Amino acid sequence: GIASVVAGHPLDTVKTRLQAGQGYGNTFKCVLTVYRNESLAGFFKGMSFPLASVGIYSSVVFGVFSNTQRFLGQLRHGDPAAGTSLTDMTLASIVAGVISVGIGTPVELVKTRLQMQTQSYNKANVKLNSTVPGSPVYRGPIHCLRTILQKEGIAGVYRGNVAMLLRDVPGYCAYFIPYAMFCDWITPHGSISPSPFSIWVAGGVAGAVSWAVCTPMDVVKSRLQADGVYLNQYKGTLDCMLQSYQKEGLKVFCRGLMVNTVRGFPSSAAMFLGYELSLKAMKRCQTETSP
């Protein structure tokens, strides 16, 4: 999980600015603008909170997915280790997507708010520029979370949760299912398990496919979560979708598509490789220590 955050966060910042910011133009122009105005540090804004929480988040998502598959295997075939069908994987992906929203929404909110803060925090300038987009409001992730709780309450912490639900449920279906399919396809016949290279490729492809599928709702999620700092433009998910469409047309829902797809490969490849190798290592340790 940590490897995936470090690998993907700089492009995640670019994606968020393209989706929720103004005046960035295309991807290349956005990268140049962030670098010129904020140097390399600008690409890593908001990374500390996801980095600190990604272990728990990834453990829950992968754990829920795996254990739901085991439960369905036990329910259908009387054996938790029985081979899973496409229906089982789809159901397990949906459950993982729903559970992920409860943990992921506050993390995504804090990350998005800090990514959209283009200037450094300075107490002298906070009151003067508090309504100017990009002006400093939060001095770090904890201060950001505390401020949101004080001003917007629990509902504010879960701002954009409906958009995240609509993003993550199909997103995880397009994440776990292609991964399993590509692993089976790449793994040579007769092999007990896929090689690290097969896992890396399958994980990367699954990540690219998944982010391509959920980019439209990711745009809505980014806009909703960035909203409310300087202005309150959107009343909810549907209102955000309608306003975005009326002002920019259907193309608005493809903002950040290329960045999401490119970022999805290395971050998901790192995630799945770390997951599978960790499982193998733990199983090997259990085997060696068993009497």
Side-chain angles (χ1 to χ4, degrees):
I2 290 168
S4 73
V5 171
V6 174
H9 195 83
L11 285 176
D12 185 71
T13 300
V14 174
K15 177 267 298 183
T16 303
R17 297 281 180 92
L18 284 169
Q19 290 177 342
Q22 294 179 352
Y24 288 103
N26 57 34
T27 304
F28 183 67
K29 185 182 175 185
C30 181
V31 171
L32 284 179
T33 303
V34 173
Y35 180 72
R36 285 171 181 166
N37 296 339
E38 304 163 63
S39 75
L40 279 174
F43 295 101
F44 292 92
K45 281 189 173 179
M47 190 176 77
S48 59
F49 200 45
L51 204 61
S53 58
V54 73
I56 298 169
Y57 178 80
S58 299
S59 298
V60 169
V61 169
F62 277 79
V64 167
F65 175 75
S66 299
N67 284 299
T68 303
Q69 281 191 312
R70 289 172 62 82
F71 171 75
L72 291 171
Q74 179 69 46
L75 195 67
R76 291 174 185 270
H77 313 290
D79 180 9
T84 52
S85 64
L86 182 61
T87 305
D88 291 350
M89 280 195 290
T90 303
L91 286 171
S93 300
I94 290 170
V95 173
V98 171
I99 297 297
S100 74
V101 173
I103 304 170
T105 302
V107 177
E108 284 281 315
L109 177 68
V110 171
K111 174 181 72 70
T112 300
R113 293 280 176 97
L114 292 173
Q115 284 175 327
M116 294 305 295
Q117 188 169 280
T118 58
Q119 300 171 25
S120 300
Y121 183 88
N122 187 325
K123 281 188 176 181
N125 295 327
V126 170
K127 291 184 179 179
L128 292 173
N129 299 316
S130 59
T131 58
V132 179
S135 63
V137 177
Y138 312 115
R139 58 174 174 260
I142 303 301
H143 179 249
C144 177
L145 188 61
R146 192 169 66 239
T147 304
I148 293 168
L149 271 170
Q150 289 171 350
K151 292 184 177 179
E152 305 171 52
I154 294 294
V157 172
Y158 281 89
R159 189 182 186 93
N161 61 342
V162 174
M164 268 197 75
L165 192 67
L166 295 172
R167 182 195 75 169
D168 286 1
V169 169
Y172 277 116
C173 288
Y175 190 58
F176 288 115
I177 295 171
Y179 170 72
M181 291 171 65
F182 272 96
C183 265
D184 287 342
W185 183 53
I186 296 173
T187 304
H189 291 291
S191 296
I192 300 171
S193 60
S195 66
F197 178 74
S198 297
I199 294 167
W200 185 82
V201 172
V205 170
V209 170
S210 174
W211 276 109
V213 167
C214 54
T215 290
M217 286 312 302
D218 190 46
V219 173
V220 178
K221 189 273 312 177
S222 294
R223 291 189 167 204
L224 280 169
Q225 293 187 329
D227 189 42
V229 185
Y230 311 105
L231 302 166
N232 279 295
Q233 189 175 352
Y234 308 116
K235 296 175 184 176
T237 303
L238 186 59
D239 182 53
C240 179
M241 291 170 71
L242 288 172
Q243 282 198 47
S244 299
Y245 172 71
Q246 288 167 357
K247 290 177 182 176
E248 301 170 64
L250 276 174
K251 65 180 181 181
V252 69
F253 299 109
C254 293
R255 276 197 174 193
L257 176 62
M258 187 185 77
V259 181
N260 260 344
T261 306
V262 170
R263 177 179 67 94
F265 193 100
S267 61
S268 296
M271 177 80 82
F272 275 107
L273 187 61
Y275 171 70
E276 295 286 4
L277 293 181
S278 297
L279 277 183
K280 284 181 181 178
M282 285 185 279
K283 285 176 182 175
R284 190 163 55 247
C285 286
Q286 286 177 347
T287 306
E288 289 172 356
T289 54
S290 295

